[in-house]
Amino acid sequence: MLLRAARAGGPRYDPARIAAQASEGLLLPWLCPAQLRYRQSQQSRRAISASSPSEGRPRAFRDRTTLETRPRHGSRHLASAAAERSTIHEDDVPFEGQPPPQSDWLRSRGISALRDFDPASPIIVNDSLATPPRTFSHHDGFRGSLAELHLTIEACLQVGRLDRAAALVRRLGQIYAPDAPELRHAHNSYLRSVVARILHTRSEDGLKSVQRWFEVEMRNKGVGPDATTFALLIKASLQLLQGAKTDRTVRRYMDLATEAGHEVELLNLPILSDAELYKVTAICPTEFYLFPGETSTPDGSAATSTGALERTGDAVDALPDVRPAGVKGLSLDALHKSLSIFADSTVPYPDHLEGSQEDKDRAYAELRQRRLEQDAVSSAIERWRVESEDMKKMGINTALKTNPLASLMWEWFNALTVSLKDEFRQIDAAEARPTKNALDRDRCLYGTFLRLVPVEKLAAITILATMAGFSSRKADRGLKLSSLVMSVAEAVEDESVAIAIQTGFREDKFRWQGRTSTVDRQRRLAASMKTRKSFVRLSRVAEGGREKDKHTNAATASGVDLAPSPNWTAAIRAKVGAVLVSSLISNAKMPVKRRHPDTQRDVVQEQPVFFHSYQFREGKRIGVVSANAALIADLKTEPHHIALAKHLPMVAPPRKWTGFEEGGYLQYSVRAMRTRGSDRSQRHYFEAAAAHGDMDQVFAALDVLSQTPWKINKGVLDVMVKAWDTGEATANIAPEKPQMDYPPEPAPTADAREKRLWATAVKEVDNERSGLHSQRCFQNLQLEIARAFSKEKFYFPHNLDFRGRAYPIPPYLNHMGADHCRGLLIFAEAKELGSKGLVWLKVHLANVFGYDKASFSEREEFTMEHLSDICDSAVNPLAGRRWWLTAEDPWQCLAACMELKSALDSPDPTRFRSSLAIHQDGTCNGLQHYAALGGDLWGAKQVNLEPSDRPADVYTGVAELVKKEISDDAAAGNAMAKILDGKVTRKVVKQTVMTNVYGVTFVGAQAQVWKQLDVIMPADKQEQAEFSNKQLASYVVRKIFRALSSMFRGAHDIQYWFAECASRISQALTPEQLDELERGSAAQGRGKAKTKARLEHSRFKSAVVWTTPLKMPVVQPYRTQKARRVTTNLQRVSIMEPSNSDPVSKRKQLQGFPPNFIHSLDATHMLLSALKCDEVGLTFAAVHDSFWTHAADVNTMNRILRDAFIRMHQEDIVARLAAEFNARYKHCMYMAAVRPDSAVGKQIRAFRVSRPRDGSSAKDGLAELLQEKRRTQLLRSSDPAEVEEGKAMVTPGSIFEAVTAADTQDHLEPPEAMAELGKLPGRSQPKGKADVEAGEETEATAESLEGEGDGPPKKKAQKTPVTFWLPLTFPPVPKKGEFDVSRLKDSLYFFS
């Protein structure tokens, strides 16, 4: 470690302290302010760390650096503590730095405090100039996009084909400008691989080639090296040179790095080990302080080997085996093989490691987790081999008898392996040919990526992914070829990433060994750096890295996108997947038994398993891969699920999240955010925010959720297995043999309609039976996973969707699953109940039973009244009265019964250590946020934001209003009301009320109510025949919307404001686009290239982007996607590849914004609560708006939930959003629309008739746009003469401003119809060019503005809105209501 070693037995020196003391005597603050700033920042950090309760933090923050926050401008305080109202007492749990009873988040300096956000300077990624990828070619056969060129280089480096990588890097030099960061990154990647190779071979000639590359290919061609380049050169020189030559070479590279300003960053990179860093300080002593007693080389401790000691793992205890669903499934055997580490002793226990027992246990858990992740594919191959050998041992000739699937797949695996090896030989031959045809060029492209994975794993993955596809329902119709090849390729890509991580290829996963942490290194460098310039740069590094401009431009000077993602492009996936699927189709055979038509004997013949053909679906001819009917029949009885390790819980704590793909599983690469395809807008914003430090709290909250330890509730698992083995339907467990009778077949003389109805009914029975079988097979897999983990403490790594909502990554068994999954899971840590915890356990039991609308005392009383049933359920769950099966959530109710019975049977129930997770659910959480945003007092009461003695129920409230209106209409003689009077219940309105806040359309709401009316009034029993249930549903929906509008008036106004903002943003052009259009208009020349460029820059590409209170940017991913056709060796495949060069979908941006914004708020509330709960020592888990903790801590958690909600809504969130929009979309222009019969519409049309024409509507539209741009620029000028010139200009925009200045009426057309909160869809707008939906082939562009003044307007044109350009501004923020959110402090039923 740098400057760390001291003589044995001598005093230990702290270089940071010595340097600080020395500098205090030599430097004055005004002579070296950078050093003063650094020392002050360190003192500030130490003070914060000392005051924070880090010692009591259980998991995520014990070793996390506490973050600083600055106080906001205006201090706001939370409400006073709540009075005690019931048996459940609310403890006051102030957030860090908050003195009770007035909790003040603004004084908090912990990780859970909301930090300052300046809406006037948000992070902006300007990707509006992104263009569709160009195609590049190279003489070695490569032909593809720039992203594919980068990916091919990385793949060549990973498989060791350095010569081809060097040639492709040189090709990049012909594409990029010399100073492009993408080119520098490619050079560094190449140098890194070459340096790694020469360090392995100890080749001095290799060092010369590295130096030659640096001088010739980089410096001579103007490619500026960075800190990584110099670090690699210095590392190679230190390792391969000796004596004075080493000193001279290292000194030269250090001098070059200093000239370029990279010396500090160079020494902070993890490339150089501590020993190498020490050598650098010895070679360049003028840059460092060297202290007495610290002249020896640091003791670089090597990584300890695992050794041969073994520990017998805890075997799965004596639980009964889970009887498989039907025939023994392949997936279960493969799962047993993968999970064998839980029952054998093959993983050695690291007894030899230094450290505490806890450290050794953690290391052992990581060893087992790594083994689990590595055994996923190999366990499947082993299973196939064993099954085939067993068949041969039994004397069964596989050519004469139908085999079990495992044995068949072993044969496919062997045949496919041989075929792929032959394909690799053809790839080698294609790369060697000087002249290449189209097939050779394809092989040169996909061959590099096939080499990333061993051929045996390629074969196995292809079989597994294909079988997984055919195991789904309706697979007998065939799989769409494009979907199959993409899923196979994605599985291969995932495996290639895992291999890269295992082999240490990816620098972001396995860095150079023998180094200290970055934070420690920065601290020591701070003590040793001499020059003031170095101090200045280091102070920036120590405070979070080099200062970066918040406005990140996503387009380089050459007009190309940012450095491509390491993820494969859709074209690469299509080609890789197609060659693998094609090989499988050609080689997979199976014996099929058929009866000879003449001899009536059974004949077994080899037939292909898969077929490639074409089908017509929805009028389109598409490629389909179909399976042999014999395989489909086998799959229906022998289910096949793929349980890879990345689909399973982790037995070791997940890696902490530090970047977009850095965290979660130990070896599998997963993303912190789930994104769509190759649309990189969200990733750009995510990474920009992370680089700026804005994602620290989001990462920390994800770590809290991911590192919550769980275990299996063995009592519930035992009952579930016994119920499973009966084969009967128990709670939500599907029956093994469902009793479902076919309807009687109609008589032969029946008419065609009756026969069609009978056939449809038979098909519905078959589908339901097949669905129940699929459900049982999936539950079989879940039970096997639960049984395998029954002795384990395990974890669910989490990631986010684009709105910030957290989800567990393992899909099969997690706490977001169905009732039986939740019933199986309990916290790994137990806590004493205490008196309050015992009450909460009783309340929780009433909640999961379904008695959750009463007061807490009534719920507790309900539990005590049913104590006999509860005890019977716990003792005799299947043989007793089975009371628990009548619950709303039966398995969770059973778990609560068992827990309460155990507590009451203990000597002191309050001392019972409980592990059960107690749930606290929000009351229609979306409406809670809307009520707080709009300040709706009535609405706040309905969703329990206002204090009350009993919980309010918004669904009942809406139902009562609807029933009253229907009753009044019936009294007035309304025919529909007479039919519905007295029949509308809470259940009828619940789903519509719940989803209305999340953007349900009128048609969707109608379908929801229609479904409920069909239950209440079946079609054949309706009292009146003149109205269908669909018509009646439309009537009820209108009443529901009207009731919501009256309850949430302010929320309705806000939702309409959201829609208006989204409508304007999605029809806006950015300043960069306007500048490009202006330059293109002024440029000389004509032709397709100029027209294409103008069309590209006139597309609407502005997505709705906002920042959550936790400073996470949210980008709506809705864009128009065009199919891209890729030629493969099977057929031409159409693939959808989202890109930030695509225009946005106006309709989806508009309709998605209100619900997505609310989702981002409830996600923020959950993450903020998670941070605070972990900070004060609570175990925390969440399912969106349902928060879980121990019974003893429910009071504490409830207080935290209320304080977090209050803290969020104390600020005017909508006003802050408006300020952010004004800054983010500053100087944009948007296409406005007015009614043609309005005063402003008539004046604009008259103005266009009178102006000179330029020959085409497109040119006139562009001219108007540029004129409006010029006018707004002049009006913003500081020169009075230019302002006057701008005022004198006449444009449609100036006409609109003049008319609206004199008339306050809103002349603009409203946004497209949507079901706003409590509002019916508006009148339908005519389908003019301004209303084009960005969903199909048509694209909305700036040039859709028509010149509407060509002669007298036609009659049809009167219906088309008049469109024109305006500077992008936003409507005033709706006025907030009178509800004070601080009153929530006293509401006991906010979450209950």
Side-chain angles (χ1 to χ4, degrees):
M1 191 178 295
L2 176 65
L3 302 180
R4 181 187 64 179
R7 291 197 176 101
R12 297 185 62 87
Y13 291 91
D14 183 355
R17 178 178 56 83
I18 295 175
Q21 292 174 350
S23 61
E24 286 175 0
L26 296 175
L27 301 172
L28 297 176
W30 53 86
L31 295 178
C32 191
Q35 182 190 12
L36 179 62
R37 287 198 300 273
Y38 177 79
R39 293 209 318 271
Q40 289 175 338
S41 69
Q42 296 303 302
Q43 293 169 359
S44 173
R45 289 168 189 262
R46 286 195 295 271
I48 295 169
S49 179
S51 62
S52 61
S54 58
E55 293 300 324
R57 298 179 186 177
R59 295 176 307 279
F61 302 108
R62 196 162 288 169
D63 57 348
R64 182 180 288 276
T65 304
T66 305
L67 300 177
E68 286 190 353
T69 56
R70 296 188 301 272
R72 299 177 185 267
H73 295 295
S75 170
R76 300 182 182 179
H77 300 275
L78 304 183
S80 59
E84 298 182 9
R85 290 175 177 246
S86 70
T87 57
I88 298 178
H89 174 69
E90 292 293 335
D91 294 328
D92 183 38
V93 184
F95 283 71
E96 188 175 327
Q98 298 176 355
Q102 288 287 335
S103 300
D104 188 357
W105 276 54
L106 299 179
R107 300 176 188 174
S108 172
R109 303 186 67 82
I111 190 70
S112 62
L114 284 180
R115 293 180 287 175
D116 284 340
F117 171 67
D118 182 6
S121 56
I123 290 177
I124 300 175
V125 177
N126 292 324
D127 56 2
S128 59
L129 297 184
T131 57
R134 292 172 52 194
T135 299
F136 300 92
S137 60
H138 191 258
H139 61 80
D140 75 341
F142 173 84
R143 180 178 177 81
S145 67
L146 191 59
E148 291 161 356
L149 180 54
H150 277 277
L151 289 168
T152 304
I153 291 173
E154 292 296 322
C156 288
L157 294 176
Q158 185 171 343
V159 299
R161 302 179 67 86
L162 300 183
D163 292 340
R164 189 175 186 220
L168 294 177
V169 172
R170 292 189 183 99
R171 179 68 178 95
L172 281 181
Q174 301 171 2
I175 299 173
Y176 284 112
D179 59 345
E182 298 88 348
L183 180 59
R184 183 184 304 110
H185 173 77
H187 278 283
N188 286 340
S189 297
Y190 173 76
L191 286 176
R192 182 182 295 274
S193 295
V194 176
V195 168
R197 172 175 287 188
I198 64 176
L199 291 182
H200 177 71
T201 60
R202 310 301 298 175
S203 170
E204 191 168 341
D205 290 338
L207 175 61
K208 293 179 181 178
S209 68
V210 170
Q211 294 172 334
R212 189 182 309 114
W213 183 276
F214 171 68
E215 298 293 344
V216 176
E217 299 296 337
M218 295 187 69
R219 295 191 72 198
N220 288 355
K221 294 183 179 180
V223 181
D226 61 3
T228 299
T229 313
F230 289 119
L232 291 169
L233 293 169
I234 291 173
K235 185 179 187 71
S237 302
L238 289 171
Q239 293 287 339
L240 298 174
L241 297 179
Q242 295 180 355
K245 197 172 183 180
T246 303
D247 296 355
R248 185 170 60 253
T249 305
V250 170
R251 192 174 293 111
R252 176 174 181 268
Y253 289 139
M254 279 297 297
D255 291 342
L256 291 175
T258 303
E259 291 176 7
H262 297 310
E263 78 280 11
V264 174
E265 187 178 355
L266 181 158
L267 298 174
N268 275 282
L269 289 174
I271 295 175
L272 297 176
S273 68
D274 291 333
E276 291 165 342
L277 194 57
Y278 175 83
K279 292 179 182 179
V280 174
T281 64
I283 293 171
C284 306
T286 57
E287 292 292 324
F288 297 89
Y289 287 108
L290 296 179
F291 302 107
E294 300 216 354
T295 58
S296 60
T297 303
D299 53 340
S301 56
T304 314
S305 61
T306 56
L309 294 176
E310 296 183 354
R311 166 170 294 197
T312 302
D314 293 331
V316 177
D317 60 349
L319 283 171
D321 289 336
V322 179
R323 185 161 60 86
V327 181
K328 190 173 185 181
L330 288 175
S331 58
L332 302 182
D333 295 321
L335 178 65
H336 293 156
K337 176 70 177 176
S338 294
L339 301 181
S340 62
I341 62 167
F342 296 149
D344 60 28
S345 57
T346 57
V347 179
Y349 188 84
D351 287 305
H352 61 283
L353 288 182
E354 297 181 359
S356 64
Q357 186 63 40
E358 183 181 356
D359 295 333
K360 294 180 181 181
D361 290 343
R362 186 182 301 112
Y364 182 54
E366 289 193 7
L367 287 173
R368 299 170 77 217
Q369 178 62 32
R370 291 186 186 279
R371 164 74 182 278
L372 183 62
E373 294 182 23
Q374 292 169 1
D375 282 354
V377 178
S378 58
S379 64
I381 299 175
E382 178 67 12
R383 171 60 193 158
W384 303 340
R385 183 188 64 78
V386 171
E387 187 76 25
S388 180
E389 290 181 355
D390 290 344
M391 294 290 293
K392 292 177 181 178
K393 289 178 181 178
M394 290 187 292
I396 298 175
N397 186 344
T398 57
L400 299 177
K401 186 175 179 64
T402 301
N403 298 348
L405 280 179
S407 179
L408 282 174
M409 292 166 74
W410 174 249
E411 296 178 4
W412 304 346
F413 169 76
N414 288 327
L416 185 55
T417 301
V418 172
S419 176
L420 290 178
K421 288 180 178 178
D422 181 66
E423 178 67 25
F424 276 113
R425 287 191 288 271
Q426 296 187 51
I427 291 171
D428 292 336
E431 291 177 345
R433 291 190 186 99
T435 304
K436 297 176 175 61
N437 57 27
L439 181 57
D440 290 338
R441 287 193 294 270
D442 269 358
R443 284 190 167 126
C444 290
L445 176 61
Y446 66 68
T448 306
F449 296 92
L450 287 178
R451 287 192 178 98
L452 295 174
V453 179
V455 65
E456 292 81 7
K457 284 196 172 183
L458 280 176
I461 291 170
T462 303
I463 295 171
L464 290 171
T466 303
M467 293 296 288
F470 279 99
S471 296
S472 62
R473 294 180 62 186
K474 300 183 180 180
D476 51 347
R477 296 181 54 198
L479 298 179
K480 194 175 178 181
L481 177 66
S482 58
S483 301
L484 179 60
V485 299
M486 296 300 277
S487 62
V488 170
E490 287 172 4
V492 173
E493 181 184 6
D494 288 345
E495 188 64 27
S496 71
V497 173
I499 291 173
I501 295 172
Q502 293 169 20
T503 57
F505 177 77
R506 288 204 167 187
E507 64 168 302
D508 56 341
K509 307 298 181 186
F510 283 80
R511 300 183 185 272
W512 302 88
Q513 300 297 317
R515 62 175 181 85
T516 57
S517 67
T518 303
V519 174
D520 187 55
R521 177 168 291 188
Q522 290 170 358
R523 184 170 60 250
R524 296 181 180 278
L525 284 173
S528 56
M529 280 293 188
K530 271 189 172 180
T531 63
R532 172 178 175 176
K533 190 164 117 176
S534 297
F535 266 124
V536 172
R537 283 196 294 274
L538 186 64
S539 66
R540 295 173 183 170
V541 173
E543 291 171 2
R546 292 181 177 272
E547 294 181 357
K548 298 180 180 180
D549 185 8
K550 280 190 173 184
H551 291 65
T552 306
N553 195 337
T556 62
S558 57
V560 210
D561 201 0
L562 282 173
S565 164
N567 303 305
W568 295 0
T569 64
I572 290 176
R573 287 175 180 162
K575 291 182 181 294
V576 169
V579 71
L580 294 174
V581 171
S582 175
S583 297
L584 181 62
I585 292 174
S586 301
N587 292 278
K589 302 288 191 292
M590 69 181 299
V592 179
K593 184 187 296 185
R594 291 288 183 266
R595 186 172 294 276
H596 195 281
D598 298 331
T599 64
Q600 298 299 312
R601 294 182 179 179
D602 289 338
V603 179
V604 177
Q605 60 178 173
E606 287 284 334
Q607 292 185 0
V609 181
F610 305 105
F611 309 90
H612 174 226
S613 60
Y614 294 89
Q615 294 180 5
F616 280 93
R617 294 184 182 178
E618 298 179 357
K620 295 181 181 179
R621 183 173 180 263
I622 62 173
V624 173
V625 176
S626 304
N628 195 302
L631 176 66
I632 295 297
D634 287 343
L635 286 174
K636 288 183 178 180
T637 58
E638 190 172 349
H640 184 80
H641 289 282
I642 306 302
L644 298 178
K646 65 178 181 178
H647 296 156
L648 299 174
M650 295 181 66
V651 295
R655 286 189 300 138
K656 293 183 178 180
W657 287 104
T658 58
F660 189 78
E661 289 182 330
E662 299 174 8
Y665 288 98
L666 302 185
Q667 294 186 189
Y668 274 102
S669 176
V670 291
R671 297 178 178 181
M673 178 171 288
R674 307 176 182 199
T675 57
R676 285 188 170 191
S678 59
D679 183 3
R680 301 181 61 204
S681 297
Q682 181 64 71
R683 179 166 185 161
H684 286 162
Y685 273 95
F686 187 101
E687 292 176 339
H692 198 262
D694 290 347
M695 296 297 294
D696 292 346
Q697 289 180 292
V698 174
F699 286 152
L702 276 180
D703 291 340
V704 172
L705 299 172
S706 301
Q707 297 185 21
T708 295
W710 299 85
K711 65 180 182 180
I712 296 296
N713 189 328
K714 296 177 186 177
V716 173
L717 177 61
D718 182 58
V719 175
M720 199 174 293
V721 170
K722 291 178 180 177
W724 172 271
D725 288 342
T726 65
E728 300 176 356
T730 305
N732 67 330
I733 300 296
E736 184 177 14
K737 297 178 180 180
Q739 300 298 321
M740 304 175 65
D741 298 328
Y742 289 111
E745 186 175 357
T749 58
D751 59 14
R753 180 177 179 276
E754 186 177 352
K755 292 180 179 180
R756 284 197 305 270
L757 292 175
W758 173 81
T760 301
V762 169
K763 189 174 182 180
E764 288 178 354
V765 171
D766 287 337
N767 288 341
E768 187 173 356
R769 181 181 285 114
S770 176
L772 289 173
H773 181 71
S774 297
Q775 180 182 343
R776 186 169 176 86
C777 293
F778 186 69
Q779 290 171 340
N780 193 173
L781 188 70
Q782 291 173 318
L783 284 177
E784 287 289 355
I785 295 174
R787 185 176 180 276
F789 281 84
S790 60
K791 289 286 289 184
E792 298 293 325
K793 179 170 72 172
F794 52 88
Y795 306 83
F796 298 122
H798 282 63
N799 62 3
L800 307 167
D801 67 6
F802 73 95
R803 302 162 300 190
R805 301 192 107 189
Y807 296 85
I809 299 173
Y812 296 122
L813 181 67
N814 60 63
H815 58 292
M816 285 192 183
D819 172 52
H820 67 286
C821 294
R822 298 187 186 192
L824 284 171
L825 297 173
I826 55 177
F827 290 134
E829 300 171 355
K831 285 190 177 182
E832 288 187 0
L833 283 174
S835 58
K836 299 170 187 175
L838 183 60
V839 173
W840 276 116
L841 179 57
K842 298 173 183 177
V843 171
H844 172 74
L845 197 154
N847 287 343
V848 294
F849 187 84
Y851 189 75
D852 55 351
K853 301 299 181 290
S855 65
F856 290 137
S857 58
E858 290 171 341
R859 296 182 215 180
E860 182 184 3
E861 184 179 348
F862 169 86
T863 298
M864 297 308 295
E865 289 175 353
H866 291 85
L867 194 57
S868 174
D869 292 326
I870 291 169
C871 294
D872 177 73
S873 297
V875 176
N876 299 303
L878 298 177
R881 296 192 294 269
R882 296 162 69 102
W883 174 79
W884 62 280
L885 285 175
T886 63
E888 187 174 292
D889 298 310
W891 292 110
Q892 295 176 75
C893 181
L894 178 61
C897 290
M898 291 179 172
E899 194 82 352
L900 182 59
K901 174 72 164 54
S902 299
L904 296 178
D905 287 347
S906 64
D908 183 359
T910 62
R911 302 293 299 275
F912 176 76
R913 296 184 62 81
S914 173
S915 300
L916 190 69
I918 305 301
H919 310 172
Q920 295 289 279
D921 299 342
T923 307
C924 197
N925 193 240
L927 283 175
Q928 287 179 327
H929 284 286
Y930 262 127
L933 291 175
D936 293 305
L937 183 58
W938 189 11
K941 292 178 180 178
Q942 296 299 320
V943 291
N944 293 309
L945 297 186
E946 274 280 315
S948 175
D949 294 331
R950 297 183 59 81
D953 180 26
V954 65
Y955 310 117
T956 301
V958 172
E960 291 300 322
L961 288 178
V962 171
K963 286 193 288 186
K964 184 178 184 304
E965 286 206 22
I966 291 176
S967 177
D968 293 344
D969 288 353
N974 186 297
M976 287 187 177
K978 289 180 179 179
I979 298 174
L980 293 167
D981 193 14
K983 296 179 181 177
V984 174
T985 63
R986 177 182 182 274
K987 191 173 183 179
V988 171
V989 306
K990 179 178 179 179
Q991 190 177 9
T992 302
V993 173
M994 184 187 305
T995 56
N996 184 274
V997 67
Y998 295 124
V1000 66
T1001 62
F1002 183 84
V1003 174
Q1006 181 190 50
Q1008 293 167 352
V1009 176
W1010 185 5
K1011 181 179 178 181
Q1012 297 299 327
L1013 292 181
D1014 280 344
V1015 175
I1016 298 173
M1017 299 182 297
D1020 56 348
K1021 296 181 181 179
Q1022 284 184 224
E1023 298 178 12
Q1024 300 291 336
E1026 63 267 25
F1027 297 115
S1028 66
N1029 280 351
K1030 182 178 180 180
Q1031 293 173 307
L1032 297 175
S1034 298
Y1035 173 79
V1036 175
V1037 168
R1038 289 184 173 88
K1039 300 297 183 184
I1040 295 173
F1041 283 171
R1042 188 172 291 112
L1044 285 171
S1045 179
S1046 61
M1047 279 187 180
F1048 298 91
R1049 182 68 238 175
H1052 159 260
D1053 295 339
I1054 287 174
Q1055 197 173 40
Y1056 187 86
W1057 184 84
F1058 285 161
E1060 179 63 36
C1061 291
S1063 177
R1064 296 186 184 187
I1065 291 170
S1066 58
Q1067 295 185 105
L1069 297 179
T1070 66
E1072 293 76 19
Q1073 287 179 285
L1074 295 173
D1075 292 341
E1076 287 295 326
L1077 287 172
E1078 189 171 26
R1079 279 192 290 269
S1081 177
Q1084 298 297 321
R1086 306 176 117 186
K1088 293 183 179 179
K1090 183 177 178 181
T1091 303
K1092 184 177 179 181
R1094 185 173 69 245
L1095 287 173
E1096 183 63 38
H1097 295 308
S1098 63
R1099 290 189 172 100
F1100 296 130
K1101 300 180 182 180
S1102 297
V1104 181
V1105 183
W1106 68 95
T1107 307
T1108 71
L1110 281 179
K1111 304 183 75 171
M1112 181 187 124
V1114 179
V1115 185
Q1116 293 201 140
Y1118 312 124
R1119 294 180 181 271
T1120 301
Q1121 301 175 28
K1122 281 192 174 181
R1124 178 185 177 186
R1125 300 184 68 83
V1126 178
T1127 302
T1128 69
N1129 60 342
L1130 282 172
Q1131 67 172 64
R1132 295 183 69 187
V1133 178
S1134 295
I1135 53 178
M1136 304 297 292
E1137 188 171 18
S1139 170
N1140 51 2
S1141 63
D1142 295 331
V1144 298
S1145 170
K1146 175 186 174 183
R1147 185 173 310 233
K1148 293 180 180 178
Q1149 291 283 340
L1150 186 154
Q1151 292 181 343
F1153 177 43
N1156 287 336
F1157 185 77
I1158 296 301
H1159 276 309
S1160 71
L1161 290 184
D1162 66 45
T1164 298
H1165 180 230
M1166 188 274 289
L1167 296 176
L1168 198 59
S1169 301
L1171 289 172
K1172 189 61 191 181
C1173 285
D1174 188 83
E1175 189 175 297
V1176 300
L1178 272 62
T1179 300
F1180 182 86
V1183 182
H1184 300 321
D1185 60 349
S1186 177
F1187 300 160
W1188 302 5
T1189 193
H1190 287 96
D1193 296 327
V1194 172
N1195 282 350
T1196 304
M1197 184 183 73
N1198 277 339
R1199 186 70 175 191
I1200 290 173
L1201 300 184
R1202 291 196 292 271
D1203 283 354
F1205 193 92
I1206 292 170
R1207 175 62 188 91
M1208 285 176 56
H1209 288 281
Q1210 270 188 330
E1211 294 187 5
D1212 194 335
I1213 293 178
V1214 180
R1216 188 179 72 172
L1217 177 65
E1220 180 183 349
F1221 278 172
N1222 286 324
R1224 185 177 298 281
Y1225 302 103
K1226 188 177 182 181
H1227 300 162
C1228 290
M1229 305 283 293
Y1230 83 102
M1231 183 181 288
V1234 295
R1235 295 183 297 275
D1237 56 349
S1238 64
V1240 64
K1242 293 177 180 178
Q1243 291 191 34
I1244 292 175
R1245 292 173 64 84
F1247 165 75
R1248 287 174 175 166
V1249 170
S1250 63
R1251 70 179 179 180
R1253 308 298 297 168
D1254 198 11
S1256 71
S1257 60
K1259 289 184 178 180
D1260 291 337
L1262 180 59
E1264 276 193 8
L1265 172 62
L1266 297 180
Q1267 287 175 356
E1268 188 61 37
K1269 176 178 181 290
R1270 171 65 177 167
R1271 186 180 75 91
T1272 54
Q1273 287 177 335
L1274 292 174
L1275 293 176
R1276 291 196 303 264
S1277 173
S1278 58
D1279 185 350
E1282 291 186 349
V1283 173
E1284 290 301 321
E1285 181 184 352
K1287 291 180 178 179
M1289 290 182 66
V1290 179
T1291 65
S1294 67
I1295 294 173
F1296 174 81
E1297 291 175 357
V1299 173
T1300 54
D1303 183 2
T1304 57
Q1305 180 183 357
D1306 185 9
H1307 293 268
L1308 292 176
E1309 283 280 73
E1312 291 186 20
M1314 63 173 291
E1316 299 116 15
L1317 187 67
K1319 179 177 174 60
L1320 300 178
R1323 58 178 179 81
S1324 60
Q1325 296 184 26
K1327 293 184 179 179
K1329 289 192 176 182
D1331 288 316
V1332 173
E1333 153 68 6
E1336 300 298 330
E1337 295 296 327
T1338 309
E1339 297 177 0
T1341 68
E1343 295 191 359
S1344 61
L1345 177 64
E1346 290 189 294
E1348 300 173 19
D1350 295 334
K1354 298 179 181 180
K1355 184 175 182 181
K1356 182 178 288 188
Q1358 291 289 339
K1359 300 180 181 179
T1360 303
V1362 178
T1363 55
F1364 59 98
W1365 294 99
L1366 281 177
L1368 180 54
T1369 58
F1370 299 97
V1373 174
K1375 186 178 179 182
K1376 200 169 184 177
E1378 59 184 3
F1379 171 67
D1380 181 5
V1381 72
S1382 64
R1383 291 179 55 78
L1384 172 62
K1385 197 80 170 182
D1386 298 327
S1387 175
L1388 297 181
Y1389 297 100
F1390 171 56
F1391 272 67
S1392 64

